[in-house]
Amino acid sequence: MLTGSMVALVTPFTPQGNVDYAILADLVEFHIQQGTDAIVSVGTTGESTTLSHDEHVDVVRATVEIAAGRIKVVAGNGSNATAEAVQLTERMSGLGIDGFLNVTPYYNKPSAAGLLAHYRAVTEASDLPQLLYNVPGRTCCDLQPELVAKLAELPRIVGIKEATGDISRVQRIQELCGRDFIQLSGDDPTACEFLLAGGHGVISVTANLVPKQMKQLVDAATRGDRAGAEAADAPMRVLHDVLFIEANPIPVKWAMARLGWLGEVFRLPLTSPELESQKVIEQALQATGLLQAEAD
Protein backbone atom coordinates (compact mmCIF):
# COMPACT_ATOMS: atom_id res chain seq x y z
CA MET A 1 0.00 0.00 0.00
CA LEU A 2 1.33 3.43 -0.98
CA THR A 3 0.28 5.08 2.28
CA GLY A 4 1.79 6.59 5.41
CA SER A 5 4.49 9.23 5.79
CA MET A 6 6.13 9.75 2.42
CA VAL A 7 8.86 12.30 1.72
CA ALA A 8 9.03 14.30 -1.49
CA LEU A 9 12.80 13.97 -1.59
CA VAL A 10 15.05 16.73 -2.92
CA THR A 11 17.68 15.96 -5.55
CA PRO A 12 21.13 17.10 -4.34
CA PHE A 13 23.66 18.53 -6.78
CA THR A 14 27.43 18.88 -6.72
CA PRO A 15 29.03 22.35 -6.98
CA GLN A 16 29.42 21.60 -10.70
CA GLY A 17 25.66 21.08 -11.01
CA ASN A 18 25.64 17.29 -11.44
CA VAL A 19 23.55 14.93 -9.33
CA ASP A 20 25.37 14.25 -6.04
CA TYR A 21 24.83 10.53 -5.56
CA ALA A 22 26.89 10.38 -2.36
CA ILE A 23 24.59 12.86 -0.62
CA LEU A 24 21.56 11.16 -2.15
CA ALA A 25 22.69 7.97 -0.41
CA ASP A 26 22.99 9.85 2.88
CA LEU A 27 19.47 11.24 2.51
CA VAL A 28 17.95 7.84 1.75
CA GLU A 29 19.70 6.31 4.77
CA PHE A 30 18.48 9.20 6.93
CA HIS A 31 14.86 8.54 6.02
CA ILE A 32 15.18 4.82 6.60
CA GLN A 33 16.58 5.52 10.08
CA GLN A 34 13.89 8.09 10.85
CA GLY A 35 11.01 5.77 9.98
CA THR A 36 9.73 7.37 6.79
CA ASP A 37 7.37 4.96 4.99
CA ALA A 38 8.28 5.84 1.40
CA ILE A 39 10.46 8.08 -0.73
CA VAL A 40 8.98 9.91 -3.69
CA SER A 41 11.88 10.27 -6.11
CA VAL A 42 12.11 13.01 -8.74
CA GLY A 43 8.82 14.73 -8.16
CA THR A 44 8.42 18.50 -8.10
CA THR A 45 10.60 18.76 -4.99
CA GLY A 46 13.20 16.62 -6.73
CA GLU A 47 13.43 19.23 -9.52
CA SER A 48 12.08 16.85 -12.13
CA THR A 49 11.54 19.66 -14.61
CA THR A 50 15.26 20.49 -14.76
CA LEU A 51 16.63 16.95 -14.98
CA SER A 52 17.17 15.28 -18.32
CA HIS A 53 15.25 12.06 -18.89
CA ASP A 54 18.45 10.05 -18.44
CA GLU A 55 19.20 11.82 -15.15
CA HIS A 56 15.60 11.31 -14.04
CA VAL A 57 15.83 7.56 -14.57
CA ASP A 58 19.32 7.36 -13.07
CA VAL A 59 18.26 9.14 -9.85
CA VAL A 60 15.31 6.77 -9.44
CA ARG A 61 17.56 3.77 -10.15
CA ALA A 62 20.12 4.93 -7.59
CA THR A 63 17.42 5.57 -4.98
CA VAL A 64 16.08 2.04 -5.40
CA GLU A 65 19.55 0.54 -5.19
CA ILE A 66 20.40 2.49 -2.04
CA ALA A 67 17.05 1.67 -0.46
CA ALA A 68 17.60 -2.04 -1.14
CA GLY A 69 14.05 -2.95 -0.21
CA ARG A 70 14.20 -1.24 3.19
CA ILE A 71 11.80 1.55 2.22
CA LYS A 72 9.26 1.95 -0.56
CA VAL A 73 10.22 4.09 -3.55
CA VAL A 74 7.69 5.90 -5.73
CA ALA A 75 8.89 7.55 -8.93
CA GLY A 76 7.53 10.69 -10.52
CA ASN A 77 6.52 9.90 -14.10
CA GLY A 78 4.42 12.86 -15.14
CA SER A 79 4.88 15.20 -18.08
CA ASN A 80 2.88 17.72 -20.06
CA ALA A 81 3.42 15.50 -23.10
CA THR A 82 1.76 12.09 -22.92
CA ALA A 83 4.44 10.45 -25.08
CA GLU A 84 7.14 11.60 -22.66
CA ALA A 85 5.19 10.33 -19.64
CA VAL A 86 4.72 6.97 -21.36
CA GLN A 87 8.43 6.75 -22.18
CA LEU A 88 9.48 7.58 -18.61
CA THR A 89 7.01 5.04 -17.26
CA GLU A 90 8.33 2.31 -19.55
CA ARG A 91 11.96 3.10 -18.67
CA MET A 92 11.38 3.04 -14.90
CA SER A 93 8.99 0.10 -14.65
CA GLY A 94 11.78 -2.45 -14.32
CA LEU A 95 13.87 -0.58 -11.76
CA GLY A 96 12.24 -2.12 -8.70
CA ILE A 97 10.07 0.82 -7.68
CA ASP A 98 6.78 0.34 -5.86
CA GLY A 99 4.67 2.69 -7.94
CA PHE A 100 4.40 6.00 -9.77
CA LEU A 101 3.26 9.53 -8.94
CA ASN A 102 1.72 10.99 -12.09
CA VAL A 103 1.14 14.74 -12.08
CA THR A 104 -1.55 16.16 -14.34
CA PRO A 105 -0.18 17.51 -17.64
CA TYR A 106 0.87 21.06 -16.93
CA TYR A 107 0.64 24.27 -18.97
CA ASN A 108 -1.50 22.96 -21.84
CA LYS A 109 -4.77 22.78 -19.85
CA PRO A 110 -6.22 19.51 -21.24
CA SER A 111 -9.94 18.81 -21.25
CA ALA A 112 -11.52 16.02 -19.22
CA ALA A 113 -11.41 13.83 -22.32
CA GLY A 114 -7.74 14.67 -22.78
CA LEU A 115 -6.95 13.79 -19.17
CA LEU A 116 -8.73 10.47 -19.45
CA ALA A 117 -6.84 9.62 -22.63
CA HIS A 118 -3.55 10.75 -21.09
CA TYR A 119 -3.86 8.65 -17.95
CA ARG A 120 -5.16 5.66 -19.89
CA ALA A 121 -2.06 5.74 -22.10
CA VAL A 122 0.36 6.13 -19.19
CA THR A 123 -1.22 3.42 -17.04
CA GLU A 124 -1.13 1.02 -19.97
CA ALA A 125 2.65 1.50 -20.12
CA SER A 126 3.23 -0.36 -16.83
CA ASP A 127 1.66 -2.92 -14.52
CA LEU A 128 2.70 -0.92 -11.46
CA PRO A 129 0.20 1.10 -9.38
CA GLN A 130 -0.05 4.80 -10.07
CA LEU A 131 -1.10 7.75 -7.95
CA LEU A 132 -2.75 10.76 -9.53
CA TYR A 133 -1.22 14.09 -8.53
CA ASN A 134 -3.47 17.14 -8.43
CA VAL A 135 -1.64 20.43 -7.89
CA PRO A 136 -3.58 23.09 -9.84
CA GLY A 137 -1.45 25.91 -8.39
CA ARG A 138 1.38 24.66 -10.60
CA THR A 139 -0.38 22.91 -13.48
CA CYS A 140 -3.41 25.17 -14.16
CA CYS A 141 -5.40 21.93 -14.28
CA ASP A 142 -7.70 20.84 -11.45
CA LEU A 143 -8.77 17.21 -11.14
CA GLN A 144 -12.30 17.57 -9.81
CA PRO A 145 -13.58 14.68 -7.65
CA GLU A 146 -16.01 13.57 -10.35
CA LEU A 147 -13.16 13.21 -12.84
CA VAL A 148 -11.04 11.46 -10.21
CA ALA A 149 -13.83 8.89 -9.92
CA LYS A 150 -13.69 8.22 -13.66
CA LEU A 151 -9.90 7.91 -13.56
CA ALA A 152 -10.15 5.56 -10.59
CA GLU A 153 -11.87 3.08 -12.88
CA LEU A 154 -8.57 2.60 -14.73
CA PRO A 155 -7.05 -0.64 -13.39
CA ARG A 156 -3.76 0.76 -12.09
CA ILE A 157 -4.93 4.08 -10.64
CA VAL A 158 -4.94 3.39 -6.89
CA GLY A 159 -5.07 6.85 -5.33
CA ILE A 160 -4.36 10.55 -5.48
CA LYS A 161 -2.01 13.12 -4.01
CA GLU A 162 -4.23 16.16 -3.39
CA ALA A 163 -2.39 19.46 -3.07
CA THR A 164 -5.33 21.87 -3.21
CA GLY A 165 -5.63 22.24 0.57
CA ASP A 166 -9.40 21.69 0.22
CA ILE A 167 -10.26 19.32 3.07
CA SER A 168 -13.83 18.87 1.83
CA ARG A 169 -12.47 16.87 -1.10
CA VAL A 170 -11.45 14.00 1.17
CA GLN A 171 -15.04 13.06 1.94
CA ARG A 172 -16.25 13.72 -1.60
CA ILE A 173 -13.56 11.54 -3.19
CA GLN A 174 -14.23 8.87 -0.59
CA GLU A 175 -17.94 8.93 -1.49
CA LEU A 176 -17.18 8.60 -5.19
CA CYS A 177 -14.21 6.23 -5.11
CA GLY A 178 -14.64 4.26 -1.89
CA ARG A 179 -12.60 4.07 1.29
CA ASP A 180 -9.89 1.92 -0.29
CA PHE A 181 -8.96 4.58 -2.83
CA ILE A 182 -5.76 6.08 -1.39
CA GLN A 183 -5.86 9.78 -0.55
CA LEU A 184 -2.55 11.48 0.25
CA SER A 185 -2.10 15.09 1.30
CA GLY A 186 0.29 17.11 -0.81
CA ASP A 187 -0.19 20.27 1.24
CA ASP A 188 1.77 20.26 4.51
CA PRO A 189 -0.11 23.15 6.20
CA THR A 190 -3.44 21.28 5.94
CA ALA A 191 -2.09 17.72 6.16
CA CYS A 192 -3.17 17.17 9.77
CA GLU A 193 -6.82 17.98 9.05
CA PHE A 194 -6.67 16.07 5.77
CA LEU A 195 -5.59 12.93 7.61
CA LEU A 196 -8.12 13.36 10.40
CA ALA A 197 -10.83 13.69 7.72
CA GLY A 198 -9.96 10.24 6.38
CA GLY A 199 -6.74 10.62 4.40
CA HIS A 200 -4.28 7.74 4.22
CA GLY A 201 -0.98 9.61 4.37
CA VAL A 202 1.12 12.50 3.10
CA ILE A 203 3.72 13.23 0.46
CA SER A 204 5.54 15.90 2.39
CA VAL A 205 8.14 18.59 1.75
CA THR A 206 8.51 19.27 5.48
CA ALA A 207 9.49 15.63 5.99
CA ASN A 208 12.83 16.40 4.33
CA LEU A 209 13.73 18.22 7.56
CA VAL A 210 11.75 16.47 10.31
CA PRO A 211 10.80 13.00 9.08
CA LYS A 212 10.36 11.46 12.52
CA GLN A 213 7.89 14.15 13.56
CA MET A 214 5.97 13.79 10.29
CA LYS A 215 5.74 10.04 10.84
CA GLN A 216 4.37 10.70 14.34
CA LEU A 217 1.74 13.04 12.91
CA VAL A 218 0.65 10.58 10.25
CA ASP A 219 0.46 7.64 12.65
CA ALA A 220 -1.60 9.57 15.20
CA ALA A 221 -3.96 11.12 12.67
CA THR A 222 -4.66 7.93 10.73
CA ARG A 223 -5.67 6.15 13.92
CA GLY A 224 -8.01 9.04 14.76
CA ASP A 225 -5.97 10.50 17.62
CA ARG A 226 -6.66 14.21 17.14
CA ALA A 227 -4.82 15.33 20.26
CA GLY A 228 -1.75 13.31 19.34
CA ALA A 229 -1.82 14.49 15.73
CA GLU A 230 -2.16 18.15 16.66
CA ALA A 231 0.62 17.82 19.24
CA ALA A 232 2.92 16.33 16.58
CA ASP A 233 1.94 18.95 14.02
CA ALA A 234 2.25 22.05 16.20
CA PRO A 235 6.08 22.28 16.25
CA MET A 236 6.20 21.76 12.48
CA ARG A 237 3.74 24.49 11.56
CA VAL A 238 6.40 27.16 11.30
CA LEU A 239 8.22 24.93 8.81
CA HIS A 240 5.05 24.23 6.83
CA ASP A 241 4.68 27.97 6.31
CA VAL A 242 8.24 29.03 5.49
CA LEU A 243 9.00 26.12 3.16
CA PHE A 244 6.62 27.68 0.67
CA ILE A 245 7.73 31.28 1.13
CA GLU A 246 9.24 30.92 -2.36
CA ALA A 247 8.67 28.29 -5.01
CA ASN A 248 9.30 24.74 -3.81
CA PRO A 249 11.98 23.33 -3.57
CA ILE A 250 13.96 26.55 -3.12
CA PRO A 251 13.27 27.03 0.63
CA VAL A 252 13.69 23.39 1.66
CA LYS A 253 16.94 22.96 -0.26
CA TRP A 254 18.31 26.17 1.18
CA ALA A 255 17.31 25.02 4.68
CA MET A 256 19.05 21.69 4.17
CA ALA A 257 22.14 23.50 2.89
CA ARG A 258 22.08 25.80 5.92
CA LEU A 259 22.08 22.69 8.12
CA GLY A 260 25.06 21.33 6.20
CA TRP A 261 23.21 18.38 4.71
CA LEU A 262 23.84 19.27 1.07
CA GLY A 263 25.20 21.99 -1.17
CA GLU A 264 23.22 25.12 -2.00
CA VAL A 265 22.96 24.24 -5.67
CA PHE A 266 19.90 24.60 -7.89
CA ARG A 267 19.21 24.10 -11.57
CA LEU A 268 18.19 27.23 -13.45
CA PRO A 269 15.71 28.81 -13.60
CA LEU A 270 15.64 28.03 -9.85
CA THR A 271 18.04 30.09 -7.76
CA SER A 272 18.83 30.62 -4.07
CA PRO A 273 16.11 32.43 -2.08
CA GLU A 274 16.10 36.17 -1.58
CA LEU A 275 17.98 37.43 1.49
CA GLU A 276 14.78 38.26 3.37
CA SER A 277 13.47 34.75 2.72
CA GLN A 278 16.74 33.30 3.98
CA LYS A 279 16.33 35.18 7.25
CA VAL A 280 12.79 33.89 7.71
CA ILE A 281 13.81 30.30 6.94
CA GLU A 282 16.75 30.52 9.35
CA GLN A 283 14.48 31.82 12.11
CA ALA A 284 12.15 28.86 11.54
CA LEU A 285 15.06 26.42 11.75
CA GLN A 286 16.05 28.01 15.05
CA ALA A 287 12.48 27.98 16.38
CA THR A 288 12.21 24.25 15.73
CA GLY A 289 15.60 23.49 17.27
CA LEU A 290 17.15 22.31 14.03
CA LEU A 291 19.62 25.19 14.07
CA GLN A 292 21.21 26.81 17.08
CA ALA A 293 21.06 30.60 17.16
CA GLU A 294 24.48 32.19 16.91
CA ALA A 295 25.62 34.37 19.79
CA ASP A 296 25.86 38.10 19.11
Side-chain angles (χ1 to χ4, degrees), residues 245-246 254 273-283:
I245 195 170
E246 292 190 22
W254 188 88
E274 298 292 333
L275 183 59
E276 286 304 311
S277 297
Q278 293 180 22
K279 293 177 181 177
V280 173
I281 298 166
E282 184 161 306
Q283 289 169 358

Side-chain angles (χ1 to χ4, degrees), residues 143-150 152 158-160 162 166-184 193-201 221-222:
L143 282 180
Q144 295 293 325
E146 291 72 20
L147 181 54
V148 172
K150 292 182 180 179
V158 299
I160 186 170
E162 252 292 339
D166 183 355
I167 305 303
S168 68
R169 292 198 179 194
V170 179
Q171 183 177 355
R172 182 58 178 156
I173 291 173
Q174 190 176 88
E175 291 171 350
L176 293 168
C177 302
R179 292 182 178 273
D180 291 336
F181 188 75
I182 298 168
Q183 295 196 61
L184 303 171
E193 288 302 322
F194 183 101
L195 293 164
L196 289 167
H200 300 88
T222 52

Side-chain angles (χ1 to χ4, degrees), residues 42-221:
V42 199
T44 304
T45 310
E47 294 179 70
S48 57
T49 53
T50 66
L51 296 180
S52 71
H53 286 183
D54 286 344
E55 288 176 318
H56 188 131
V57 174
D58 287 344
V59 170
V60 172
R61 179 185 290 109
T63 302
V64 171
E65 291 174 353
I66 298 160
R70 295 172 295 163
I71 187 172
K72 292 184 183 299
V73 177
V74 176
N77 67 328
S79 173
N80 63 335
T82 303
E84 288 187 2
V86 167
Q87 183 185 60
L88 280 172
T89 303
E90 291 173 341
R91 291 185 65 182
M92 293 188 289
S93 288
L95 298 182
I97 62 173
D98 296 279
F100 290 104
L101 178 66
N102 195 335
V103 71
T104 54
Y106 39 88
Y107 186 76
N108 42 25
K109 299 183 180 181
S111 65
L115 287 167
L116 282 166
H118 170 83
Y119 279 110
R120 183 176 294 109
V122 180
T123 55
E124 287 175 352
S126 172
D127 291 332
L128 291 172
Q130 300 201 26
L131 297 162
L132 304 170
Y133 179 13
N134 187 36
V135 56
R138 281 185 177 269
T139 64
C140 299
C141 174
D142 189 0
L143 282 180
Q144 295 293 325
E146 291 72 20
L147 181 54
V148 172
K150 292 182 180 179
L151 292 168
E153 295 175 3
L154 296 173
R156 284 169 285 280
I157 297 293
V158 299
I160 186 170
K161 174 185 176 184
E162 252 292 339
T164 60
D166 183 355
I167 305 303
S168 68
R169 292 198 179 194
V170 179
Q171 183 177 355
R172 182 58 178 156
I173 291 173
Q174 190 176 88
E175 291 171 350
L176 293 168
C177 302
R179 292 182 178 273
D180 291 336
F181 188 75
I182 298 168
Q183 295 196 61
L184 303 171
S185 170
D187 181 64
D188 284 325
T190 59
C192 183
E193 288 302 322
F194 183 101
L195 293 164
L196 289 167
H200 300 88
V202 300
I203 297 179
S204 169
V205 175
T206 302
N208 279 283
L209 296 172
V210 285
K212 184 178 290 185
Q213 293 89 325
M214 184 59 68
K215 171 68 171 171
Q216 291 169 347
L217 163 62
V218 173
D219 287 352

